[in-house]
Amino acid sequence: MSKPAENIAILGLQWGDEGKGKLVDLLSTNFRNVVRFQGGNNAGHTVVINGESIALHQIPCGAHHPECFLIIGSGTVLSFEVFHQELECLHKRGIDILDRLLLSDKAHIILPYHIAIDNWRESGSVAIGTTGRGIGPTYEAKAARHGVRLGDIKAANLLEKISIVYKEACLKIGSSASLPTPETVFEKLRELASPLLKCIGNAQEYLYNAWKQGESILFEGAQATMLDIDHGTYPFVTSSNCSIGGLFIGTGLPPKALNKVIGVAKAYTTRVGAGPFPSELNNSIGEQIRKAGHEFGTTTGRPRRCGWLDAIALRYACHVNGVDALGIMKLDVLDDLERIGIVNGYQTEDGKLLHTPPSSAQEWEKLEPVIEYFDGWTKPTKGAKSWSSLPTQAQKYLKAIEKIAETPIAYISTGPDREEGLFT
Ligand code: IMP
């Protein structure tokens, strides 16, 4: 892939944590603008700055490229507390972004009440293993039309708006004992938002003009298709549209503004939280993958569930997003395995073979994976920088992924460092 003159989206195709951050980081040097368009601080990407890894949850990748303008779109939800922690973390490393940052005035604010509702619900019988960051309840408030948006911070009725969310939280939780008063939340919000007021504005208009003036735009997806509220493994999903449609809703740009979609998947599969995962390996191989891939959540530190690459889910995600090219990450994690599986079918209880995912989680849970095995490789892929230096078994495995996903591979990651990987 050479220097792009086009606007591209980088989207996760599995259950999140595919390593989108590495690809966004690699490509963002070529882009004038990087945009987050959905999700909140449930996401987490690690960027390496001067050899040091730091985790960002809300600030887009590209923060450490001084020429990159950073936009947080209307489809996102934002925690001011976390935003300040990230600003501080960057500031300590000599990076200040306030003069190249735009926060959509239509993005919604995560209030302490939303976090309280999230955790109250997760402690009950309908827990789905959320990140506990208040994401779902903030999007619920948006849909219920009593959300608080960034543009409301200066509004005369801000306290009133906060009080409505407070009352809703009291009704749900059944007690106000553990909740801060609306006045306390109001004061804190005003204080935290104050240094950011100059960055809050009309992101849709900014992006429209940037597009029309031919400025390059990189759209950075968070979470992934199988966690999409409409197209994922509902109800074990997040509360935003992480697939392609969310990009247009979450920026206000029309589909014509996007030129290319790069879908990102690991060479295997992981997921955190509850929900269907037909290719999961609840055995020593799953454990080996977890260890080799350091599969622990960036946001919550939870061990990730690990399994073979689910090619049915991958092809489905390619179809949903119209993926032009694939980024296959963490190939090197499979280096020590004797054989490597790809799930390329699901067997139903009554013996039917499925090649597309079912719509309901209950059906998903009952499926048996049909696994095709590939030989492990005779030499490691770790650090490989060219296709020809990959062992033939790994090439065969990658070719099989392309065929099943009906999509060409554009990038292969062979280690965490920027240099470890290859564009095909
Ligand atoms: P929520 O987004 O915190 O509401 O969590 C809903 C589901 O999405 C849970 O299973 C989470 O583990 C999962 N999830 C949310 N964000 C991410 C992410 O960035 N990576 C992986 N899983 C995520």
Side-chain angles (χ1 to χ4, degrees):
M1 232 181 282
S2 56
K3 186 177 163 74
E6 47 192 2
N7 299 335
I8 69 169
I10 298 198
L11 303 178
L13 300 179
Q14 297 167 311
W15 280 271
D17 310 314
E18 293 89 354
K20 297 177 285 292
K22 177 173 176 182
L23 209 43
V24 177
D25 184 41
L26 276 174
L27 295 178
S28 55
T29 43
N30 296 326
F31 285 83
R32 169 74 182 121
N33 302 285
V34 181
V35 196
R36 273 280 309 269
F37 51 87
Q38 46 72 225
N41 58 313
N42 47 349
H45 51 238
T46 305
V47 289
V48 181
I49 301 174
N50 300 330
E52 192 191 353
S53 291
I54 65 163
L56 294 176
H57 302 281
Q58 298 189 134
I59 293 179
C61 277
H64 51 303
H65 300 309
E67 66 291 348
C68 236
F69 197 88
L70 310 171
I71 300 112
I72 301 211
S74 57
T76 62
V77 292
L78 187 126
S79 155
F80 274 104
E81 280 85 356
V82 174
F83 207 82
H84 274 284
Q85 286 162 15
E86 294 187 6
L87 285 176
E88 183 57 23
C89 184
L90 290 171
H91 176 71
K92 278 192 189 142
R93 287 153 184 89
I95 300 166
D96 290 302
I97 58 166
L98 291 193
D99 55 352
R100 52 187 178 96
L101 173 72
L102 178 59
L103 308 172
S104 169
D105 51 7
K106 294 180 191 161
H108 280 247
I109 302 171
I110 303 172
L111 297 174
Y113 309 128
H114 299 132
I115 300 171
I117 295 170
D118 196 359
N119 290 318
W120 161 76
R121 200 174 280 140
E122 281 295 296
S123 63
S125 58
V126 292
I128 63 156
T130 71
T131 59
R133 303 297 192 260
I135 306 297
T138 309
Y139 279 111
E140 282 170 50
K142 172 180 177 173
R145 290 154 297 182
H146 60 241
V148 182
R149 310 202 293 183
L150 267 63
D152 293 326
I153 287 166
K154 284 189 281 184
N157 62 351
L158 176 63
L159 179 58
E160 198 183 312
K161 281 175 174 278
I162 292 172
S163 301
I164 293 171
V165 185
Y166 169 72
K167 282 182 198 143
E168 285 270 333
C170 292
L171 280 174
K172 283 186 173 134
I173 297 175
S175 147
S176 60
S178 58
L179 299 174
T181 64
E183 288 75 15
T184 316
V185 172
F186 171 83
E187 291 301 335
K188 186 80 188 157
L189 192 56
R190 283 274 179 103
E191 180 196 321
L192 289 171
S194 159
L196 289 166
L197 286 179
K198 62 176 183 179
C199 304
I200 299 173
N202 189 336
Q204 176 276 328
E205 187 184 30
Y206 170 87
L207 284 167
Y208 181 82
N209 290 332
W211 170 47
K212 283 289 153 186
Q213 283 156 22
E215 283 186 17
S216 55
I217 307 171
L218 178 62
F219 300 91
E220 178 186 345
Q223 291 85 43
T225 304
M226 303 315 289
L227 289 172
D228 182 288
I229 186 140
D230 286 281
H231 301 293
T233 47
Y234 190 88
F236 301 97
V237 290
T238 190
S239 300
S240 64
N241 285 111
C242 333
S243 58
I244 193 74
L247 185 156
F248 306 110
I249 298 293
T251 57
L253 280 174
K256 276 188 280 191
L258 181 68
N259 305 105
K260 193 170 192 174
V261 180
I262 298 184
V264 187
K266 279 177 190 159
Y268 49 96
T269 309
T270 62
R271 93 169 281 178
V272 277
F277 184 179
S279 68
E280 183 167 15
L281 291 161
N282 277 315
N283 57 20
S284 59
I285 301 175
E287 189 55 42
Q288 192 179 339
I289 293 175
R290 186 175 306 115
K291 255 188 164 167
H294 307 290
E295 295 296 355
F296 297 89
T298 317
T299 302
T300 57
R302 290 179 287 179
R304 295 178 184 142
R305 299 158 66 192
C306 297
W308 297 130
L309 183 79
D310 185 330
I312 301 300
L314 184 68
R315 182 173 54 222
Y316 166 74
C318 286
H319 289 180
V320 169
N321 297 299
V323 173
D324 295 294
L326 290 170
I328 298 293
M329 313 306 279
K330 298 183 109 171
L331 181 67
D332 56 297
V333 169
L334 305 179
D335 277 356
D336 292 330
L337 296 178
E338 271 173 35
R339 61 174 192 169
I340 295 150
I342 289 185
V343 169
N344 64 11
Y346 301 141
Q347 186 96 44
T348 64
E349 271 185 322
D350 53 3
K352 264 196 240 138
L353 189 61
L354 302 184
H355 290 290
T356 49
S359 305
S360 92
Q362 287 86 341
E363 280 176 75
W364 270 91
E365 298 279 17
K366 292 186 203 139
L367 298 172
E368 282 300 320
V370 178
I371 307 172
E372 182 183 354
Y373 285 100
F374 293 77
D375 290 336
W377 8 110
T378 44
K379 63 171 185 167
T381 64
K382 171 89 177 124
K385 293 184 180 59
S386 66
W387 176 261
S388 58
S389 66
L390 292 173
T392 50
Q393 299 86 351
Q395 291 179 351
K396 199 171 159 201
Y397 180 69
L398 293 163
K399 286 279 169 210
I401 294 175
E402 283 189 324
K403 192 164 171 217
I404 301 170
E406 300 164 0
T407 311
I409 295 174
Y411 177 77
I412 300 156
S413 172
T414 56
D417 291 344
R418 288 179 126 241
E419 294 72 32
E420 294 178 306
L422 54 117
F423 286 101
T424 59

